[in-house]
Amino acid sequence: MRITKKIFALAGAAALTLGLSACGGANDSAKDDGEAKDGAKDGGATTLIVGATPTPHGKILKFIQDELAEKEGLTLDIKEYTDYVLPNEALQAGDIDANYFQHVPYIEQQIADKGFDFEWGKGIHLEPLGLYSDKLTDIKDIKEGASIGIINDPSNQARGLKLLSDAGLLKIPADKEFNIAEIQSSAEYNPKKLQFKEVEGPQLIRSLADVDAAVINGNFALEGGKEPKDALQLESATDNPNSNILAWKKDSPKLDAIKKLDALLHSDEVKQYIEKEWPNKAVIPAE
């Protein structure tokens, strides 16, 4: 009798275990069925992890997340970076789905140097490069031998040298490749004998204490409290190739969702947001 009861007890426990396992399997299956191949969750919404510098890119993405993303079936997970190196490395490694911080000359230089397998959309907006100073109030005050801070990456460096050339502070050769060392050492190209201090982009605003003036990218100037009206010389927005773009890997499994985000970045709503948020023209929608 005791043996029979024991057998029934074991059989009941086994049945209970099987029942719980079946329930668990059903729940896991339902969870798997709720996630599409492109990362869609929660009834079809796709989460995109997007790398961006905080201003203006992070702010624009936050506006899209709050006001526009839901109707397109998107959820944005915004990862902020304060430099120009890590966002492309993170994209190449698959840690993020897209990034939004750079212009075409920069991404082309990065691809040439590092072999990244990226694609990108059309220009979204421009943050004009400016020559700023905490010591001088007029570009005419830049004397012979003045120290000038300039970013250390080649594409933005060339952009900065062009700004200085447009301001009449130096010349750049129109018929050949050039670099900053060649410009600085040339009596023809650098008649004012300007002394360049190459600096990481995020540090340019802090370098103003140590130089007479610095050429600063628009987003870093904004983050440092500078506005276009503060610049001794400001880059022209006309026919400017340096509009910022959204970039992604060519083989991204979330390509459809990325294209939806790119379309939102070019929407009238985002253009109006930019014009309202930056009436000082620190950020200018691309034409």
Side-chain angles (χ1 to χ4, degrees):
M1 187 72 174
R2 290 178 183 173
I3 294 174
T4 304
K5 286 183 179 178
K6 188 172 183 180
I7 291 172
F8 282 139
L10 289 170
L16 179 60
T17 301
L18 288 171
L20 290 173
S21 297
C23 290
N27 288 340
D28 290 344
S29 177
K31 181 179 179 182
D32 291 342
D33 290 344
E35 297 185 5
K37 291 181 180 179
D38 65 353
K41 298 181 181 180
D42 303 326
T46 300
T47 297
L48 289 177
I49 306 173
V50 186
T53 47
T55 303
H57 311 84
K59 286 187 174 182
I60 294 171
L61 290 174
K62 181 67 164 52
F63 168 75
I64 290 176
Q65 171 61 23
D66 291 346
E67 303 293 337
L68 306 175
E70 184 177 0
K71 68 181 181 181
E72 294 295 335
L74 300 177
T75 298
L76 302 185
D77 182 357
I78 304 164
K79 301 295 185 184
E80 292 190 345
Y81 296 86
T82 57
D83 74 304
Y84 286 168
V85 176
L86 292 179
N88 277 335
E89 293 181 351
L91 182 57
Q92 183 68 21
D95 297 331
I96 58 178
D97 298 311
N99 65 38
Y100 170 41
F101 76 99
Q102 62 195 320
H103 52 64
V104 173
Y106 183 79
I107 197 172
E108 289 179 337
Q109 184 68 52
Q110 287 277 290
I111 289 170
D113 290 346
K114 300 182 179 181
F116 294 143
D117 190 26
F118 296 162
E119 293 179 329
W120 55 90
K122 293 181 180 180
I124 301 161
H125 58 76
L126 173 76
E127 303 110 63
L129 199 70
L131 179 66
Y132 294 91
S133 177
D134 281 349
K135 301 172 182 176
L136 309 175
T137 58
D138 194 300
I139 199 164
K140 296 177 182 178
D141 297 331
I142 295 180
K143 302 184 184 307
E144 184 173 309
S147 57
I148 306 292
I150 194 165
I151 199 167
N152 62 352
D153 83 72
S155 65
N156 280 298
Q157 199 170 86
R159 185 180 172 191
L161 291 171
K162 183 179 185 306
L163 177 70
L164 295 172
S165 175
D166 291 343
L169 295 174
L170 53 77
K171 300 176 183 178
I172 53 176
D175 56 348
K176 66 174 184 176
E177 295 288 330
F178 61 90
N179 58 54
I180 195 166
E182 180 184 4
I183 297 294
Q184 179 166 294
S185 62
S186 169
E188 177 186 358
Y189 299 142
N190 186 19
K192 291 181 74 72
K193 301 178 182 177
L194 301 178
Q195 300 300 306
F196 295 107
K197 181 177 181 181
E198 297 182 76
V199 182
E200 293 281 347
Q203 304 303 319
L204 278 167
I205 198 75
R206 297 175 190 170
S207 77
L208 289 175
D210 304 316
V211 296
D212 293 305
V215 183
I216 304 178
N217 290 59
N219 59 312
F220 294 135
L222 276 172
E223 290 167 12
K226 297 291 186 183
E227 298 185 27
K229 66 179 180 60
D230 301 322
L232 303 180
Q233 179 80 12
L234 197 66
E235 181 180 50
S236 171
T238 303
D239 297 325
N240 194 309
N242 298 295
S243 293
N244 288 187
I245 45 92
L246 182 72
W248 56 88
K249 291 189 75 174
K250 290 181 180 179
D251 60 354
S252 173
K254 298 184 181 180
L255 187 57
D256 288 346
I258 292 168
K259 291 295 183 68
K260 288 181 180 180
L261 175 58
D262 193 47
L264 288 176
L265 284 164
H266 291 89
S267 67
D268 288 339
E269 291 92 336
V270 167
K271 179 179 180 181
Q272 291 165 9
Y273 170 76
I274 291 173
E275 291 172 340
K276 181 178 178 181
E277 186 70 16
W278 293 283
N280 59 4
K281 305 295 184 182
V283 184
I284 304 170
E287 295 298 330

